Structures are given as structure tokens and as C-alpha cells.
Amino acid sequence: MDHSDSAHQRRGALLAALACTLVGASFTANSVLNDFPHAGGQAIRYACASLLLFPLVGRRGLAPLRTLGWRGWGWLAGLGGVGMVGFNLAVLAAERTSEPAVPGVFVGCAPVVIAVIVPALDGRRPTRAVLCGALLVAAGAFTVQGWGRADLPGIAWSVAALGGEVVFALAALPVLRTVGPVLLSAAASAIGAVEALGLAVLMDGRGWLRMPDTGEGAALLWQTLVVTVIGFVCWYQGLQRIGPERATLFSGLIPVAAAITAPAVGAGGYGPAQAAGSLLVGTGVAVGSGAFGQRLRGRRRERVVASGAPGVAADASAPAPARRGTGRGTDGAAAGPEPGPTGSRAKTPPPGGAPRAARPGPSDGAPCGAGPREG
């Protein structure tokens, strides 16, 4: 992996980490909205977010949406209804009968589910590093939050929240490349607002919305501006760069951020258990993202080069040898006569003129990897 690819991956990891940290802080904001109409609050949140996001879609405007077929619109509807509105309502329903740690623990298992589902959909085996990292992240999330009091409805809603988290990552993949992160966030928020409004009217009737007090208004503003407008765009930009398997590893930061910000509203504390869980989450992210492996390989190469091992330093600076029968090296420059087995010059060409110059191979004249890189 060259320097540009490494920078691309690091940028994606930072975006995913920022998005999950903002979502974790929103769990603290949710504790202020316990008495506010849930579905109505989500409808207002997503409607305001879509109005803020649509002007930011760029020069292409809404044109990419016109290219989506009925399947693409189906993915967007599932993303808004299940991955956004359904996830939030499931978390709030689980917290009615169980402690907040219970849905948090189930949502913390999302990296494990993604690490198994995505390779299965691609017809391959799970990556060992990603799977091990996902297990460490899930263990860290459990350590940060503990288990807490739970009953059967609370566990059922927590499983539903886990499903919503998985859908939030996977349902965006078929349309993300076509519409881009900003337009995807705007369109999914608009669809989610309509779906949440329908649920609000169905569940709460005329009481589906009321004027929020100061604390509730601040929490709704945080969820709209910070979590939805900024967090969603960062998440999908990170997902586009590093893929769902590695991006979902950073969801382990959600309970960590919730535990760190909880004392600000008197909803909990940050003690040794939370610190140990945070360390597990960080280790799992590093293992699953391949950071440990890249660092170890880089140090091993540095030690080998510094020791002056034969063939290593020379290979890094010397041009590649000419290939037999082509008359050119891999760098596209003309190669001289090939030495014979005893180090002497190759035999002169037979009478009848100089040998014909062979056509360069497909990689002649261009370094490996010079083609366009997938975004």
C-alpha cells in the first residue's frame, strides 16, 4: 500500500471515529428526551437535518437520485425506516423496561455481525484480523456499560436496535457510490422524517408533538446539527473509504463516548471499568483495522534494511532486470544485452540484420498500480 492509499485509509478511519463519537454523545442527549414524544421528535430532527443537508449536495444537485431504480429507493426507504428511525425508537423502547446498558451491549456487538455478514455476502471467509478486532470491541463495549437490569421486552427491543445498527451500515452500500455521502444523508433523512411522522400520528395522535423546554430543545438541536448533519456525513465518507467491516469497528466508541459524557448531565460516571473497556475497544479497533500489522511490517523492513541484508537495499534502489525476449526493463527503458551465464555479453545476433524490437508488455512504461484507484 503506497503513501496515498495509507492517507486515504487514515482519513476514513478518522471520519468513522468522529461520527461514532458524536453518536455516543447523543445517547446522553437521549436521557433528556425521555418525556418528549419520541416519534415526533425524530420527525422534527430528520426534517430539519434534510433541509440543512440538501443545499450542501454540490453542483450535481439531485440528479443522482433520478438514476436510482426502484431497488435504490427501496434501500433508501429501509435505511431511513429501519436504520435511522427504527434504531432510535428501539433504543428508547428498550430503555423503558431495561437499563440503558442493555441496548448498548447489544449495539456493541454490531462489529461482530458485520464482520460475519459482509464476507458471507461476498462469498468469502471472514477476515481473521477484523473478526478478532470485532470481538475485542464487543467485549470492550460490554465492559464499559456492564449488563444491568433487563427483562424479555427490553432484550427484544435491544436485538431490534442491533438490527437497526446493522441495516444503517449495510443498506447504504448499494447507493453510496451513486449519490455520495452528503446526498445520501439528505435523502435518507427526508425519507426518515416522513416515516417518523407517520408513526408519530399513528402512535400519539394529536399529541405527537409539543413545544420542547430548554433542555429538550438543546438535545434536539444537538441531534439535528451535530449527530445527523455532521455525524452522518462523516460516517458515510468513512464507510466509503474503509468499507463496512472496518468502519463498524468504530461503533465501539459509541458506549465509550456515552460513558465519558454521561457525568455532564448526571447520568453516570467514568471509573476503572469504563477505562478498561475503553482500552479494549481501542485495541480491537487497532487489531481489526490492521494498524498493528502495518506497524510491525514497517519496523521489520526498517530493521532488515538497516542491517544491510543482501538483496534488500539493492532491490530498493536498483532497476528491475530486463525480461527475456522483450528488450525492455520494467521501467520502460531499453535494456542492454543480457549477460550470459558466465557474466559475459550475450552472443551477437545472427546475420541478417538487427533483431526486431519486441513490443512492450502490458506493464512496460508504467509503474505498477498506475491505474485509477477505486474511491
Side-chain angles (χ1 to χ4, degrees), residues 98-313:
S98 301
E99 293 185 5
V102 179
V105 168
F106 277 90
V107 172
C109 295
V112 181
V113 179
I114 295 292
V116 174
I117 289 181
V118 171
L121 293 176
D122 291 342
R124 55 184 174 86
R125 294 182 178 181
T127 306
R128 182 180 301 177
V130 174
L131 186 58
C132 291
L135 291 172
L136 286 173
V137 168
F142 178 84
T143 305
V144 168
Q145 300 187 96
W147 176 250
R149 175 183 55 84
D151 57 6
L152 187 59
I155 293 176
W157 283 114
S158 298
V159 173
L162 171 61
E165 179 71 11
V166 173
V167 170
F168 185 70
L170 296 184
L173 296 178
V175 294
L176 178 57
R177 183 182 296 274
T178 302
V179 301
V182 178
L183 184 55
L184 173 62
S185 300
S189 295
I191 294 174
V194 174
E195 294 169 333
L197 178 61
L199 285 175
V201 174
L202 182 64
M203 295 167 54
D204 301 325
R206 295 183 178 180
W208 69 274
L209 188 64
R210 62 171 175 81
M211 183 64 67
D213 58 28
T214 303
E216 292 169 341
L220 287 173
L221 188 63
W222 171 272
Q223 288 190 339
T224 301
L225 291 178
V226 179
V227 179
T228 308
V229 175
I230 299 176
F232 281 17
V233 174
C234 289
W235 169 254
Y236 287 124
Q237 287 178 340
L239 189 70
Q240 196 174 40
R241 285 172 167 84
I242 63 177
E245 294 173 81
R246 288 180 169 82
T248 314
L249 290 171
F250 291 93
S251 64
L253 296 176
I254 294 177
V256 174
I260 292 174
T261 57
V265 295
Y270 192 84
Q274 286 73 28
S278 302
L279 182 61
L280 276 175
V281 169
T283 304
V285 170
V287 171
S289 63
F292 283 164
Q294 292 175 7
R295 180 169 298 181
L296 289 175
R297 287 192 296 270
R299 290 179 177 177
R300 187 179 298 115
R301 284 195 298 267
E302 291 175 359
R303 287 197 300 266
V304 172
V305 172
S307 64
V312 176

Side-chain angles (χ1 to χ4, degrees), residues 320-336 357-361 364-365:
R323 292 181 297 177
R324 295 180 182 271
T326 63
R328 288 183 179 268
T330 57
D331 60 352
R359 290 180 298 176
D364 294 338

